[in-house]
Amino acid sequence: AIRRYYQDPDVLYAEPDYIVKAAVRTNDPLLDRQWHLFKTAAAGTQTSAWDTSSGASGVKIAIVDSGISDSHPDLSGKVAGRKVFANITGSINPHGTFVAGHAAAKGNNSVGIAGMAYNSTLLDATALGSDGSGAASGIADGVRWAADSGAKVINLSLGSIFYMAALEDAIDYAWSKGAVIVAAAGNSGNS
């Protein structure tokens, strides 16, 4: 039929009337401020990564950082396991909660933001203290614990200028167990 229509000089074009659908977009009020979700094509106005997957409850994302606050409305009930590998004093540093939000804050709850994998669960490996720093041994222990706890993704939004064999061994161990390791590139502007 399309070929026949093209033979008619009065027809500009002929094509199937395809069905289209809106790309997945959550109802979180601060979504438009999350430029990274649009830059990475997780969310968007055309086909997005969220059209394929927005995470799954069986996919655990470990945040090896300064702890995840249970009182954050977008993270409440998201932590499937936690262990402390740092000597914590005082209140927790908000960095771990911030990172956890980027990874897996609840989506479509009409609150705050949406995480990259908003249907996934979190593992909280607290390896940094309230000042945002911690020993490499605690971080390595946190990575190993996360891998043994079934983490599919292990986030390390931390860094150092030193090579650490113990941390490399822990990352290799997690990799051998099938985990994807996400590490910070640093904020110093140093290559």
Side-chain angles (χ1 to χ4, degrees):
I2 290 173
R3 281 189 292 251
R4 274 194 320 269
Y5 286 127
Y6 268 118
Q7 292 172 359
D8 184 333
D10 294 327
V11 174
L12 293 174
Y13 57 87
E15 64 186 9
D17 193 7
Y18 295 109
I19 303 298
V20 297
K21 65 176 187 163
V24 174
R25 188 174 173 96
T26 66
N27 61 11
D28 302 280
L30 300 177
L31 181 67
D32 288 335
R33 294 185 187 174
Q34 293 183 266
W35 62 269
H36 63 283
L37 294 176
F38 299 93
K39 184 81 169 169
T40 60
T45 55
Q46 297 181 5
T47 301
S48 67
W50 283 346
D51 287 313
T52 302
S53 176
S54 53
S57 61
V59 176
K60 296 176 184 174
I61 301 172
I63 307 297
V64 182
D65 209 291
S66 60
I68 301 171
S69 172
D70 287 325
S71 65
H72 193 290
D74 269 336
L75 298 174
S76 177
K78 299 278 293 182
V79 178
R82 66 173 20 108
K83 190 164 181 181
V84 176
F85 300 94
N87 192 7
I88 304 300
T89 57
S91 61
I92 66 170
N93 184 301
H95 189 264
T97 301
F98 174 79
V99 171
H102 281 291
K106 292 176 190 172
N108 273 332
N109 63 346
S110 299
V111 174
I113 65 168
M116 184 72 74
Y118 60 83
N119 285 320
S120 294
T121 56
L122 293 163
L123 293 172
D124 178 2
T126 303
L128 302 179
S130 59
D131 65 350
S133 66
S137 58
I139 295 161
D141 289 345
V143 168
R144 287 181 181 278
W145 171 81
D148 289 340
S149 298
K152 296 296 181 195
V153 177
I154 300 174
N155 183 85
L156 299 166
S157 289
L158 46 87
S160 173
I161 59 170
F162 302 105
Y163 166 77
M164 293 164 271
L167 185 54
E168 181 178 13
D169 285 346
I171 290 170
D172 288 345
Y173 175 76
W175 181 261
S176 76
K177 294 194 70 132
V180 172
I181 292 75
V182 179
N187 297 324
S188 65
N190 183 334
S191 63

